[in-house]
Amino acid sequence: MIERTVTIKNKAGLHTRPAAGLVKLASRFRSEFFIRKDGIEINGKSIIGVMTLAAERGSQLTLVFDGEDEEEAARTVCAYFDEGFGEP
Amino acid sequence: MKYKADKVFEDLKRISKKSIPVRTLYEKNRVRLSLRSVNGLEKSKREITDKNLHRPGLALAGYVDLFTYHRVQVMGNTEIHYLQSLPPKQREAAFRRLFDFPLPCIIITAGNVLEENLVAIATEHGVPIFSTKHETTKAVYFLGDFLDDQFAPKTVIHGAFVDVYGIGVLFVGRSGIGKSEIALDLVERGHRLVADDIVMVIRKGEGILMGSGSSLVKHFMEVRGLGLIDIQSIFGIRAIRFQKRIEVVVVLEEWDEGAEYTRTGLDSDEVTILDVPIPLVRLPIFPGKNVTVISEVIALNYLLKHYGYDSAKAFAERLKSIIEKKAEAEEKSDPMIDWFEHDFE
């Protein structure tokens, strides 16, 4: 199991488009993927779950990966967060 | 990856508040309890850390050894009349004694009024005072309920939660197994969706679990291949409800040749969520199996059990009594003839 903390960098926050992108990205991996914020843990492969977080710019999320390809999943997903979902 | 229900429920993250600010208490109860801010400190950030209330009668009388000062202090007729029975100087001293302790706030009930010089003491210490016209019993009941809720353990479960014939049925299973589709099918058949995907669970009192959706998602649902759909807009108000007691958990599993499923229903399973035991049904699914109808039967069967009729037990009893009768009978009867005997159509 891998845990990583990431920060939302883009201005609009984790809105619908990046949420959909994140879910698609995570679904490519076999590992389970959870996101924690404010004590709530949701399934990172569920679009409704990700959008429930309503994560704004600057908020911190804890990503949890668990499974055979967890390292690759963590690297890919964290990179998506680090580039601000490709948004300003 | 295989869905392990026991592990999932064991691993649930508990969320419970350690404290709430006084302003939340005021804002949430202002209308319901007609709370009025007496000294204008309703925006106070003082923290309430205990779900219980306290009536500071003994503390006013001078006994402060076991004074539960961190609780919300409720002053009703008894406390106010006691204060009024004292000569002014002693009255002030008795009231001032309370503020040797960091109280969160004071609530004056039954339309009582605190003298201005006493209010000033509280203001000086930054302690908010609220008043309500409601009797102490009623105020305590409402506030207790409110604080109970605020401090209740909560958790989030990944699943679909539907009110089926008035029974709260929570569907869980690995993602992609079809929880949302079953919920949608149930809604189509006239049942009511409470939440899909993210189910917020809160324990009320002892032994009651309430489930609801998150305020953001409400009754949106994701159906693979369709995207996001709004159940309330499509099916109308009858298709949704905001919260429901969780009464049965249904675990959806892929049909597994090796696994054993209950065949009689005599040995009922249970799962513990936030220390509350909830009946659990393991439902193997495969293409062509009508899970929706089975879900309705699960709900109805639970309802029967609730009203004191256990189908599996009733059948077992019947079988037992017939075997006993057979053993007693001297002449063996022909089951086919007995069965058709009373049917003349």
Side-chain angles (χ1 to χ4, degrees), chain B residues 158-160 171-186 196 221-224 252-254 285 291-292 295:
Chain B
H158 183 66
F171 296 92
V172 295
R174 68 158 178 82
S175 51
I177 201 155
K179 299 180 290 287
S180 299
E181 287 75 8
I182 290 166
L184 188 61
D185 215 10
L186 283 165
D196 185 49
M221 185 188 256
E222 186 209 0
V223 178
R224 301 279 155 91
L252 302 171
E253 295 177 333
E254 264 111 1
I285 64 172
V291 184
T292 313
S295 306

Side-chain angles (χ1 to χ4, degrees), chain B residues 38-150:
Chain B
V38 175
N39 56 355
L41 291 175
E42 72 274 7
K43 293 250 170 0
S44 167
K45 287 200 180 124
R46 289 179 92 88
E47 298 279 319
I48 301 169
T49 54
D50 197 317
K51 66 173 182 177
N52 295 303
L53 302 165
H54 186 248
R55 295 192 61 177
L58 277 175
L60 287 173
Y63 184 74
V64 290
D65 276 7
L66 297 170
F67 183 29
T68 45
Y69 55 84
H70 54 281
R71 295 180 181 170
V72 171
Q73 306 294 321
V74 178
M75 294 179 68
N77 289 329
T78 326
E79 287 80 5
I80 300 292
H81 283 216
Y82 171 72
L83 280 176
Q84 278 162 1
S85 74
L86 298 174
K89 267 215 175 130
Q90 281 176 37
R91 188 183 308 160
E92 217 179 291
F95 192 68
R96 198 176 275 282
R97 199 177 301 125
L98 295 184
F99 298 92
D100 292 345
F101 303 87
L103 314 174
C105 67
I106 296 176
I107 291 170
I108 315 274
T109 60
N112 283 301
V113 181
L114 208 57
E115 281 168 45
E116 267 179 32
N117 58 327
L118 299 187
V119 172
I121 297 174
T123 315
E124 175 190 316
H125 287 87
V127 175
I129 299 184
F130 306 113
S131 73
T132 169
K133 59 179 195 291
H134 294 292
E135 283 168 35
T136 312
T137 340
K138 196 176 172 191
V140 165
Y141 174 77
F142 272 118
L143 286 170
D145 200 42
F146 167 78
L147 290 173
D148 238 14
D149 267 7
Q150 291 290 319

